[in-house]
Amino acid sequence: MNIGFIGLGNMGAPMAKNLAAAGHVVLGYDPAGITTEGVTAAASAEAAATGANVVITMLPNGKIAQTVADQVLPVMGKGTVLLDCSTIDVATARRIDSRAEDHGIGFLDAPVSGGVGGAEAGTLTFMVGGSAESFAEATPLFDIMGRTAVHCGGAGNGQSAKICNNMILGITMIGTCEAFALADKLGLDRQAMFDVVSTSSGYSWTMNAYCPAPGIGPQSPADNGYAPGFAADLMLKDLRLSQQAAQDVDADTPMGAAATELYKIFVEQEDGSGRDFSAMLPRFEGRTRS
Ligand code: NAD
């Protein structure tokens, strides 16, 4: 396939590299001048998209994804597919879909889980919204960049799945961290706490697979000074998207709102920015109720 790849940042560059390594012809564009192995640099988003069967975007937010979609849709051929892998708001994803339809182009919103490590290893999970036809067209590319691609339904449903998943993740990480901090003050050994909770009804991915306590459970960012991993800043971004979506559809999400507020304070007023989202544990350790 001829692939245009726009946004060659931490995630986009290794994804584009894997597509090129698998034999696809990849034209890449990033305004920061980033290129990567096997990918030919294009002078603009439009140049990367011209003649492509599939255009992939991996961008910071919905506003930029909308701008880039408006640049590339007019130069893409009818029947081609625009595949946005960025994490953006549901409303923008649905708006891009309707503009793509006006141009006779298929659109998929396909945010990912798995982080930079998953992008490099080609083991990402894609949560995909859009038509079955476009999904089938993009499946060989998902197979190269990832291990799993779940078709979640119509446009916007990929973003919906992503923000619901990450809302659960943010809430459970906070719950796990505050429980560890409480256990510390109660004089409970952290290993004993892990051994009980990881095999009891309080178990979760944040406890069992990504334990926020250093030296406990499998290797995690806690064992590396809380270097991300998944940065608290990105967790805050995703929690904000969940609250924006909840507001749009009038859904009551009190725990999501509380998690958003805590990560906002942590990132914007404390030392959370640039640290892994599990660094909530040292935050709670140093605090009292007042
Ligand atoms: P990043 O900031 O490293 O990369 C984004 C790239 O987009 C940058 O290189 C930037 O120069 C480029 N860009 C900005 N404006 C542009 C424009 N107008 N046209 C073309 N390119 C433009 O971000 P990232 O970590 O690669 O994340 C990308 C997306 O993936 C985000 O939506 C993020 O939420 C999501 N995501 C990231 C992770 C992660 O662990 N990093 C995990 C899952 C999902």
Side-chain angles (χ1 to χ4, degrees), residues 6 9-11 30-31 34 58-60 64 68 87 112 115 234 237:
I6 300 165
N10 293 323
M11 297 291 290
D30 191 296
I34 307 163
M58 193 49 165
L59 300 162
I64 294 174
V68 171
T87 303
V112 303
L234 284 176
K237 171 191 170 179

Side-chain angles (χ1 to χ4, degrees), residues 25-65:
V25 177
V26 187
L27 264 182
Y29 172 69
D30 191 296
I34 307 163
T35 46
T36 186
E37 207 181 307
V39 174
T40 305
S44 65
E46 291 89 334
T50 303
N53 309 100
V54 175
V55 173
I56 304 177
T57 51
M58 193 49 165
L59 300 162
N61 59 48
K63 197 161 171 242
I64 294 174

Side-chain angles (χ1 to χ4, degrees), residues 73 107 137 149 167 193 232 236 267 288:
L73 286 171
F107 175 72
E137 178 82 12
M167 188 174 82
M193 166 83 173
L236 175 59
V267 167
T288 59

Side-chain angles (χ1 to χ4, degrees), residues 219-241:
Q219 276 282 318
S220 71
D223 300 308
N224 189 27
Y226 296 100
F230 185 52
D233 315 64
L234 284 176
M235 175 47 81
L236 175 59
K237 171 191 170 179
D238 292 355
L239 284 167
R240 280 184 164 139
L241 289 173

